[in-house]
Amino acid sequence: MTDDNVAAPYRNTNPTPVIRGLRTARELLYRAGGVSGINPVVSRTAWRDNRLLILCYHGISIADEHEWSELYVPQEHLERRVKWLRANQFNILPLDEAIHAMYARRLPPRAVTLTFDDGSCDFALKAMPVLAAYRVPATVYLTTYHVTSQLPIFGPMASYLLWKAPGRTYTVPGTSLRRTAPPRDDREARSRLQLEMADRARLTGLSAQAKHSWLVTLAAELDLDFDALLAKRLFHLMSPAELASLDRDLVDLQLHTHRHTNPDDAVQFRREIDDNRGAMQDYVRDKPLRHFCYPSGVYTADQVRWLADAGVVSATTCNPGLAGPGHSPWILPRLVDTQDVTDAKFAAWAHGIGHIIRRFIGGKVG
Ligand SMILES: [Zn+2]
């Protein structure tokens, strides 16, 4: 992975029949938890009191990104979640405070913390108004390479352009290969074509500016108005001005690597942390940068060790689960709240029974 793949998939979007069956069974139980009255009972147990629900958001739509990818949710989705958490007396804590309290076994009841991956500009435009209106703290795991360049992230932008022009043909940049943009509902084909382009760019060793030129050419071939799409800033990271304007009483910026990559080499991995820290110095003032999120939730045992050496005290994954004092602080689970997460599933996870259902039905599968 490189900076090309900020929107790399968090979840299998092409499930087998077995995985689909497991998901259906779990969904039925999530709903049963809501109507049977079990949910509030579980949320008042000592077990839940010692656990923390870490929510993960990827993107809040500026335009129609939620129609393109389930990882993007409309602003209304985020607001509905926050209102529900407030109405049901959940304690929404800043990440640093929540982690500290969890390992000290003094979390308040029904503890929740919100995290946003990448730091794309939709956070400032769409998430921040909701967080400010309800005074909800959040952590942004910021990847920094494209903060100053203000170029769109190559992979997601390429995929979005293909989604905008189903059935149209184009030339794979840097080759003479002809391809047809897949139907809108064929996520797998689109993701395959996106990877083909990202691989081609990597193999060719193109600069960020050269990859941007590829996007311009691709849009022209697909007969799309690239300048109009670019102006929407759908796949830009927050600008330095946007980062500087965030309400620091609510928003904590933390580490996500500089180039959105987690190298297998210790020196390169450390460089990603150091570069990320260095690029954030202007925005964080005196707040320590010691929490980390693995790009796309992917990690190895070596990287866990290297994080500890780099002074990182916690790291989150996309493994589904409630965090507890028995977890390694460098392998903390989260619930990725996408459009596929129903209200029943969200409630079950917030109360705690979702974690238990997941453990007994399917485990890490699906
Ligand atoms: Zn990310």
Side-chain angles (χ1 to χ4, degrees):
M1 275 170 296
T2 69
D3 58 289
D4 296 338
N5 287 307
V6 164
Y10 288 67
R11 182 176 193 254
N12 181 359
T13 52
N14 187 34
T16 63
V18 171
I19 290 176
R20 274 203 300 273
L22 289 171
R23 286 181 185 169
T24 304
R26 285 197 295 256
E27 188 63 34
L28 289 171
L29 289 170
Y30 296 145
R31 287 181 201 175
V35 295
S36 66
I38 287 176
N39 273 352
V41 173
V42 174
S43 77
R44 283 195 293 271
T45 59
W47 176 84
R48 177 63 180 92
D49 283 351
N50 278 315
R51 271 160 186 79
L52 171 69
L53 174 64
I54 307 175
L55 291 169
C56 162
Y57 290 93
H58 181 81
I60 313 299
S61 281
I62 293 173
D64 55 0
E65 306 95 292
H66 56 285
E67 294 174 30
W68 161 72
S69 165
E70 79 286 355
L71 287 173
Y72 281 78
V73 296
Q75 187 186 48
E76 179 278 329
H77 177 113
L78 177 66
E79 184 167 18
R80 193 169 76 249
R81 297 303 196 221
V82 167
K83 276 168 92 167
W84 184 89
L85 289 168
R86 287 284 194 228
N88 288 277
Q89 286 87 48
F90 282 84
N91 282 295
I92 308 176
L93 307 173
L95 178 77
D96 187 67
E97 181 184 330
I99 302 249
H100 193 69
M102 181 178 78
Y103 285 108
R105 293 180 180 268
R106 51 174 180 75
L107 276 171
R110 296 181 294 285
V112 177
T113 192
L114 270 65
T115 65
F116 291 78
D117 288 7
D118 302 328
S120 45
C121 76
D122 58 81
F123 178 82
L125 298 176
K126 295 295 180 180
M128 204 58 228
V130 175
L131 301 177
Y134 294 88
R135 301 307 294 166
V136 168
T139 288
V140 173
Y141 292 119
L142 180 68
T143 187
T144 34
Y145 184 81
H146 281 302
V147 166
T148 46
S149 80
Q150 283 298 294
L151 294 174
I153 308 301
F154 176 75
M157 186 66 172
S159 172
Y160 181 80
L161 293 176
L162 295 179
W163 175 77
K164 278 282 184 191
R168 298 201 68 108
T169 54
Y170 64 95
T171 310
V172 178
T175 75
S176 56
L177 297 170
R178 298 288 291 168
R179 296 279 186 265
T180 302
R184 283 200 162 190
D185 58 357
D186 194 343
R187 289 178 186 171
E188 198 197 354
R190 199 165 59 248
S191 141
R192 200 170 53 244
L193 292 171
Q194 174 190 339
L195 283 175
E196 180 183 51
M197 273 194 275
D199 284 347
R200 185 72 53 180
R202 188 165 44 248
L203 290 171
T204 321
L206 289 187
S207 67
Q209 192 57 56
K211 282 189 284 190
H212 187 69
S213 300
W214 275 17
L215 291 174
V216 175
T217 307
L218 179 65
E221 274 204 279
L222 296 172
D223 206 16
L224 297 169
D225 184 344
F226 188 71
D227 289 340
L229 291 172
L230 202 62
K232 293 181 182 175
R233 299 180 70 225
L234 306 184
F235 302 105
H236 286 59
L237 297 180
M238 281 184 273
S239 67
E242 282 166 329
L243 286 165
S245 71
L246 294 174
D247 181 347
R248 281 307 136 77
D249 289 338
L250 291 179
V251 181
D252 182 30
L253 298 176
Q254 291 294 337
L255 303 164
H256 196 39
T257 74
H258 186 49
R259 297 165 190 81
H260 205 267
T261 182
N262 34 9
D264 288 333
D265 175 83
V267 173
Q268 287 179 30
F269 187 85
R270 181 56 185 262
R271 196 184 74 164
E272 283 300 324
I273 306 289
D274 291 346
D275 288 354
N276 199 203
R277 275 192 172 124
M280 265 196 262
Q281 282 310 321
D282 290 346
Y283 318 117
V284 294
R285 294 165 205 150
D286 294 332
K287 287 200 176 175
L289 293 165
R290 58 187 180 188
H291 300 285
F292 179 81
C293 170
Y294 298 98
S296 306
V298 179
Y299 61 94
T300 67
D302 283 340
Q303 288 163 354
V304 168
R305 266 202 338 274
W306 299 337
L307 283 177
D309 293 344
V312 170
V313 300
S314 88
T316 51
T317 66
C318 296
N319 301 340
L322 263 66
H327 279 107
S328 159
W330 299 284
I331 313 179
L332 293 173
R334 293 188 294 176
L335 177 68
V336 183
D337 187 14
T338 69
Q339 287 178 73
D340 294 342
V341 176
T342 61
D343 290 350
K345 177 175 177 177
F346 186 81
W349 274 88
H351 285 295
I353 198 166
H355 175 97
I356 298 163
I357 291 169
R358 176 85 196 195
R359 229 179 128 181
F360 288 102
I361 301 186
K364 289 184 177 174
V365 182

